Amino acid sequence: HVQLVESGGGSVQAGGSLRLSCVASGYTWCIAWFRQAPGKARERVAARDRDGVTWYADFVQGRFTLSGDVARDTLYLQMNNLKPEDTAMYSCAAHVSGYCPSWASGYAYWGRGTQVTVS
């Protein structure tokens, strides 16, 4: 069983930055950040596997950066040049077998999420 705890959300003005943290307890192969805005589907923002292979959604390329190490159970999402459309609940999710699913239903373990609001 894996538990995930996120932190670091908040309210910022457009162009600002936030750093989200996800700490996992228990073995994980892949940790991903998802976000969900009101009335919209949950979408994957970024993910990293235990080998360090990293994926980013097209809409965050060049603005968001993952750091940290899945093997050390901590992953950070640095978000720069935030836009109002980035406003959402951001959650980290974990998958324990050898790949990173691109869809939310592929992840069995979820944190409670942290709200990001950009005005």
Side-chain angles (χ1 to χ4, degrees):
H1 185 70
V2 178
Q3 292 183 319
L4 300 162
V5 179
E6 306 97 333
S7 61
S11 297
V12 296
Q13 292 187 337
S17 298
L18 285 172
R19 187 190 193 213
L20 306 184
S21 299
C22 176
V23 178
S25 62
Y27 176 87
T28 59
W29 176 261
C30 174
I31 296 176
W33 281 99
F34 282 81
R35 70 184 187 184
Q36 188 168 24
K40 295 189 176 181
R42 186 174 282 175
E43 54 188 358
R44 194 176 74 170
V45 175
R48 176 169 288 177
D49 70 18
R50 208 167 182 88
D51 288 338
V53 181
T54 303
W55 293 263
Y56 294 102
D58 288 344
F59 56 79
V60 302
Q61 289 282 358
R63 298 190 300 125
F64 293 8
T65 304
L66 279 178
S67 62
D69 190 339
V70 174
R72 296 183 180 228
D73 302 325
T74 304
L75 212 60
Y76 304 99
L77 182 67
Q78 177 68 41
M79 305 187 295
N80 297 328
N81 191 23
L82 283 160
K83 304 175 181 180
E85 51 264 42
D86 294 318
T87 295
M89 179 67 75
Y90 285 71
S91 302
C92 64
H95 186 66
V96 300
S97 59
Y99 66 102
C100 280
S102 58
W103 57 97
S105 60
Y107 293 81
Y109 304 102
W110 290 84
R112 292 187 175 183
T114 184
Q115 178 67 36
V116 171
T117 302
V118 186
S119 58

